[in-house]
Amino acid sequence: MDSVVTSVRQAHGRAGIGARLAAIAGICLMLAGCGINNIPTYEEQARAAWSQVLNQYQRRADLIPNLVETVEGFAAQEKDVLTSVVEARSRATATQLPADVLTNPDAFKAFQDNQAALSGALSRLLVVVERYPELKSSQNFLALQSQLEGTENRIAVARRDYIEAVRLYNTELRTIPGRWWRSLLYADTEPMQNFSVEAETIETPKVEFNRSGG
Amino acid sequence: MARRGVSKQALEVRRARRMFGWAVALFAVMGAAILFLNGTIGTSPDAGTAPQAAAQTGLPTLSGRVVDEADLIDAATEQAIVDKLAAFEARSSDQVVVATIVSLGGEPLEDYANRLFRHWGLGQAGENNGVLLLVARDDRKVRIEVGYGLEGTLTDALAKLIIEETLVPAFRAGEFARGIAEGTDQIIAVLSGDTAELEARARRNATGGQSWPVIIFVALWFGIVFTGIAFAILAPIFGRKTGKGRYEWLGIEMTTTGSSSASSSSGGFSGGGGSSGGGGASGSW
């Protein structure tokens, strides 16, 4: 009789602890439902999108030495255009990106300007190439050109994804549940920088066409 | 609640059982919450952009492997292409889709192609092995958009080659059906080029890639349903009104999860949830 009572008490105690643990776990999940994890989730998504942007810019930078070499073989006299491409490339790749590039407006702008300068130099080079029919029809150049086009398009897609990811993240930081969580738990998070429209208009090849034509 | 004459011991047992019922209920709620959260947070970036994109300019619906909006392909050729593409997907799990549209409506070809590719989710989800051949009739432009997973096989240069050597000459001659048929043949040929990689991809998506998430999902879902049923039976026995309310809440949770994940599997042909990062090449005729 006594042993039955103790075993029942033990069972009761176990169930109590289990229920308490379950309650704690349940509360954690309910908090998750209120968006406690949204800020880190969106932050990681934005950082991943940024890595993709860097990745594609790097891919473009890697293509350039080959491209310059190929163009030199046919159009060595276009020295200044080629030099400007090489210089813009080294500026864009040599700059060590600071760790806080995403939240530091100056660093972000410097990065953006360097890449825009490289885009401009590249499109000037492609305009110059139009004057050299043998170069334009060389297999090597055609392959490089298609890769460069593909890379530029990938850059555009990566930038678009980044813009969207940052929009989500920044919105989460500013709107209500996220705003509370930020002040409560994620006080060190900062809104991220996004690509600005001005830089994109600078990058459009049309401007460069006019400049080289005139 | 406790009837007179019931021994203290029986009361203890009843309390223990009630606590146990609570624990079961909480675990059921947790399980439902996990599924619910996976459904919302896990897919939120796609879920957020896809309907938005569809609303923007009314992208065509993925009615089959050949979506001939501009009416450039005759029925016999279209059927032949569809059969070839279906056979190729069965062999490799790669999804190749042909789309012709009347006009881009002023949007850049590359943007439109990428948007359409992602909207349709071509290729298997983890593999991103889709290819979209997009022809814009009135803009006289054509693009081969390649998913992330196939960028290494169908490179930009090869895509450009297919466009310049096959599609553009045929399109200039006005033979759209022939050009598209030959173009898809060449895309398949390029994708089949690396046989070992192709077979590995097909295997991955036949066993590991696709069925495991489905099995886990079904198991979890059944688990939740049965925990819910068990709770529904337990709740009246242990007699707690809050318990019943909770169950109803749980029921709502389960229905929302069910509807959000069921949307991915519709009848006929559908994209596997792949994505593209803008690989491929464009041309015009």
Side-chain angles (χ1 to χ4, degrees), chain B residues 189-258:
Chain B
V190 169
L191 293 180
S192 315
D194 196 344
T195 331
E197 164 58 22
L198 183 90
E199 280 166 5
R201 203 157 59 221
R203 250 199 318 277
R204 268 202 304 279
N205 287 294
T207 56
Q210 217 157 12
S211 59
W212 264 112
V214 173
I215 289 170
I216 291 169
F217 175 79
V218 169
L220 265 178
W221 207 82
F222 267 86
I224 303 305
V225 168
F226 283 118
T227 326
I229 290 172
F231 183 65
I233 296 164
L234 287 174
I237 293 174
F238 297 118
R240 275 273 187 162
K241 265 213 156 173
T242 43
K244 198 167 179 247
R246 255 166 203 283
Y247 172 65
E248 269 167 14
W249 181 74
L250 180 65
I252 289 161
E253 290 297 288
M254 288 203 295
T255 44
T256 49
T257 323

Side-chain angles (χ1 to χ4, degrees), chain B residues 8-19:
Chain B
K8 196 181 170 192
Q9 191 187 330
L11 262 177
E12 288 271 7
V13 171
R14 191 173 289 183
R15 264 181 73 187
R17 276 196 193 156
R18 197 184 294 149
M19 290 310 260

